[in-house]
Amino acid sequence: MTDSGRDIDSDEMVLTFSLDGETFAIPVSHVNEIIDPLPVTRAPCADPFAPGLVNVRGAIAPFVDLRQRLGMPPAVLGETSRVLVLDLMVGGESTKVAMLADDVDDITDTRMADLEAVPELGVRWPVHLIRGVAKKNDTLVIVLDVEPAFAPTSHK
């Protein structure tokens, strides 16, 4: 059985990270590296979701603000803040994208068949951005659906 080409009966390695006190996860297969925060060059008239660019080891990457997409307040840099450099398909092309996390927690196995659906009532994030919720110890981990979570905003 598959879900967008993924075997939902298998375990998937995910990287857990924090945003605004909540624990999120993204498949490790999308994570290129984790680095200290970088200066962001703001782009004029840029979409609030992708407000600028960063230089990652000589490669220019769009800097996305996942907090903005999830309806969270802007980030405040702290000692544990890290930049996740992700490899994503954007417009059919493999693209490096950088995003800021409040903290990077762990790499863990998550059984995709055990993900619970996100109830639309009482959730503060857009549910179409979330594959499901996993339970790890006493923590709920929100597993992001990478394609919609990082898709460019269409301009009209």
Side-chain angles (χ1 to χ4, degrees):
M1 207 180 291
T2 62
D3 172 25
S4 302
R6 296 179 291 248
D7 185 353
I8 62 170
D9 289 329
S10 68
D11 286 355
E12 188 167 351
M13 296 292 287
V14 295
L15 173 74
T16 58
F17 60 93
S18 301
L19 289 176
D20 197 32
E22 303 290 343
T23 302
F24 290 87
I26 186 168
V28 169
S29 59
H30 293 291
V31 180
N32 181 271
E33 63 183 315
I34 302 166
I35 57 178
D36 289 334
L38 299 167
V40 177
T41 301
R42 299 283 174 192
C45 303
D47 185 297
F49 173 62
L53 304 168
V54 293
N55 181 343
V56 180
R57 303 187 199 293
I60 303 303
F63 183 81
V64 298
D65 184 356
L66 190 58
R67 287 169 154 272
Q68 191 273 340
R69 174 115 336 141
L70 293 169
M72 296 177 164
V76 176
L77 278 180
E79 282 186 35
T80 61
S81 297
R82 295 293 176 265
V83 170
L84 306 181
V85 181
L86 309 173
D87 287 321
L88 305 172
M89 292 301 288
V90 177
E93 284 188 38
S94 180
T95 305
K96 284 204 185 322
V97 174
M99 66 156 280
L100 185 66
D102 297 343
D103 195 3
V104 174
D105 302 317
D106 197 8
I107 293 176
T108 185
D109 273 331
T110 299
R111 186 163 168 78
M112 293 299 114
D114 292 341
L115 288 182
E116 294 185 21
V118 178
E120 292 194 32
L121 183 62
V123 174
R124 64 180 182 144
W125 318 284
V127 295
H128 71 281
L129 304 179
I130 300 169
R131 280 174 69 182
V133 178
K135 294 175 189 164
K136 293 293 177 191
N137 302 324
D138 293 331
T139 304
L140 292 180
V141 178
I142 298 100
V143 180
L144 293 171
D145 193 349
V146 175
E147 285 187 34
F150 292 96
T153 305
S154 56
H155 295 282
K156 296 182 176 159

